[in-house]
């Protein structure tokens, strides 16, 4: 080897000494993965967090549970998470959090101060599923999942369309909530879970927000209308009536907006395709009777839903985004009041299919 080659090799070897290794990383064996995170109001201005960790299979025989739970108070959420580390032998890793459950009382005070850390620090994934909880947070976090999924994964699957999600269950992610805090034209609608008797929790409806505070609530049936009008409807939904059980298999909504004399006018036409599920209690009802009954029921639900949101001045549908170009920037903050006075008209076009011979008209008697 020539002298030049030896010098080059020595320089390369010296350069390798300057390279950094993974000195600041932690092996997965030394981390506790957060599956679900809960927030509730504590004494004074403090917040209490509930953290649920899934356990690896190697520890299941010892603990007989696939999770363990810990709680901690703090002045802020990051402060409480940091204090949790004092109680544990491993590092707390919130980067895989699947569910964020927020106590109803805390949501009535205001969410923004308690969610800002997630936007700034990005320690919690922005696609984390968020829900408001009514009930005992300790019981919800301490109860085992009936189907045995890992902590947090169960809550996420509860809302996912490919798993336990249903149109009435309004899947809401963390980034959607925070973005609407800063959008005067679109208010938040967040799913509401209540403490269950046979399960850790069950779906109860959706809560209406104005700004970052709860101001109202939609029940399960009104939540279905919200899904239909906002193009969030997926899969199929069974609608139970006095005369029939039908399944909504397809939906498309057409929305037209205008401004007349300073009053927003919103027109919605919702087209539904239905199939017959059960006709055992129909009696002599005709196809027209069934369609008319369903249309009357849907209009009643739409009326109560819009009354609640307009009374609260909370445009959870995002209609205001269609008026952004018609208002000056100084008028953006007035949309809540404009929405209260908006005229909203809605119609339904219903097609009932798969009825078989039940509604076949008899031949005309000659």
């Amino acid at each position: 080897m020539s002298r030049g080659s030896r010098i080059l090799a020595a320089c390369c070897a010296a350069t390798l000494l300057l390279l950094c290794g993974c000195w600041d990383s932690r092996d997965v064996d030394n981390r506790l993965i957060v599956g679900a995170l809960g927030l509730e109001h504590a004494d004074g201005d403090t917040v209490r967090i509930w953290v649920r960790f899934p356990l690896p299979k190697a520890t299941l025989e010892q603990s007989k549970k696939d999770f363990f739970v810990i709680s901690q108070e703090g002045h802020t959420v990051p402060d409480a998470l940091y204090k949790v580390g004092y109680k544990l032998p491993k590092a707390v890793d919130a980067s895989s959090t699947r569910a964020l459950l927020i106590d109803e009382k805390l949501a009535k005070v205001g969410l923004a101060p308690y969610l800002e850390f997630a936007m700034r620090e990005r320690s919690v994934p922005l696609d984390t599923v968020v829900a408001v909880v009514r009930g005992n947070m300790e019981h919800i976090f301490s109860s085992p999942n009936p189907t045995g999924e890992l902590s947090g994964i169960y809550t996420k699957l509860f809302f996912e369309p490919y798993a336990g999600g249903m149109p009435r269950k309004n899947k809401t992610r963390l980034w959607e909530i925070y973005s609407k805090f800063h959008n005067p034209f679109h208010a938040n609608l967040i799913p509401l879970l209540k403490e269950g008797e046979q399960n850790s929790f069950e779906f109860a409806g959706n809560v209406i927000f104005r700004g970052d505070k709860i101001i109202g609530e939609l029940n399960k049936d009104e939540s279905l209308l919200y899904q239909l009008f906002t193009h969030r409807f997926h899969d199929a939904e069974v609608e139970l009536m006095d005369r029939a059980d039908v399944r909504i298999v397809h939906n498309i909504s057409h929305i037209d907006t205008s401004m007349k004399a300073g009053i927003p006018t919103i027109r919605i036409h919702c087209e539904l395709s239905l199939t017959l599920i059960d006709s055992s209690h129909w009696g002599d009802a005709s196809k027209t009777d069934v369609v008319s009954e369903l249309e009357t029921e849907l209009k009643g639900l739409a009326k109560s839903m819009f009354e609640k949101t307009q009374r609260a001045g909370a445009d959870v549908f995002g209609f205001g985004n269609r008026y952004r170009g018609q208002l000056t920037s100084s008028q953006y903050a007035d949309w809540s009041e404009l929405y209260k006075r908006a005229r909203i008209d809605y119609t339904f076009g219903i097609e009932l299919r798969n009825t078989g011979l039940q509604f076949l008209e008899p031949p005309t008697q000659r």
Side-chain angles (χ1 to χ4, degrees), residues 130-278:
V130 181
V132 174
V133 171
R134 175 180 294 164
N136 189 323
M137 188 75 79
E138 180 179 4
H139 175 265
I140 290 175
F141 268 76
S142 301
S143 299
N145 295 324
T147 54
E149 283 89 357
L150 290 176
S151 310
I153 301 296
Y154 176 83
T155 309
K156 183 176 176 61
L157 292 179
F158 187 82
F159 292 100
E160 289 292 353
Y162 61 79
M166 299 171 62
R168 285 179 171 86
K169 295 180 182 178
N170 175 37
K171 178 186 174 184
T172 305
R173 288 160 291 198
L174 180 58
W175 69 265
E176 293 177 296
I177 294 173
Y178 199 80
S179 67
K180 291 173 185 177
F181 285 164
H182 304 281
N183 183 358
F185 297 108
H186 203 166
N188 274 302
L189 187 73
I190 302 178
L192 174 66
L193 305 177
K194 68 177 182 179
E195 186 178 353
E197 296 180 359
Q198 299 178 341
N199 197 356
S200 55
F201 56 77
E202 60 186 59
F203 179 68
N206 288 278
V207 285
I208 304 168
F209 279 75
R210 182 173 176 181
D212 66 339
K213 300 177 182 178
I214 291 179
I215 200 169
E217 181 179 336
L218 298 182
N219 61 35
K220 296 177 183 178
D221 292 333
E222 292 166 343
S223 298
L224 176 61
L225 268 293
Y226 166 80
Q227 297 280 328
L228 294 176
F229 288 162
T230 56
H231 306 102
R232 297 170 69 98
F233 182 85
H234 61 82
D235 198 7
E237 181 75 4
V238 175
E239 182 69 23
L240 303 179
M241 303 184 298
D242 293 337
R243 296 180 182 270
D245 296 344
V246 296
R247 184 186 300 274
I248 303 173
V249 295
H250 181 68
N251 154 249
I252 184 170
S253 294
H254 306 277
I255 301 175
D256 181 44
T257 59
S258 61
M259 183 79 76
K260 297 181 180 179
I263 298 178
T265 300
I266 303 166
R267 292 173 293 275
I268 307 171
H269 179 67
C270 181
E271 297 180 5
L272 299 174
S273 295
L274 313 175
T275 58
L276 177 62
I277 300 298
D278 183 12

Side-chain angles (χ1 to χ4, degrees), residues 34-47:
V34 177
L37 181 65
L39 309 180
E40 68 174 345
H41 188 68
D43 297 332
D45 295 330
T46 61
V47 61

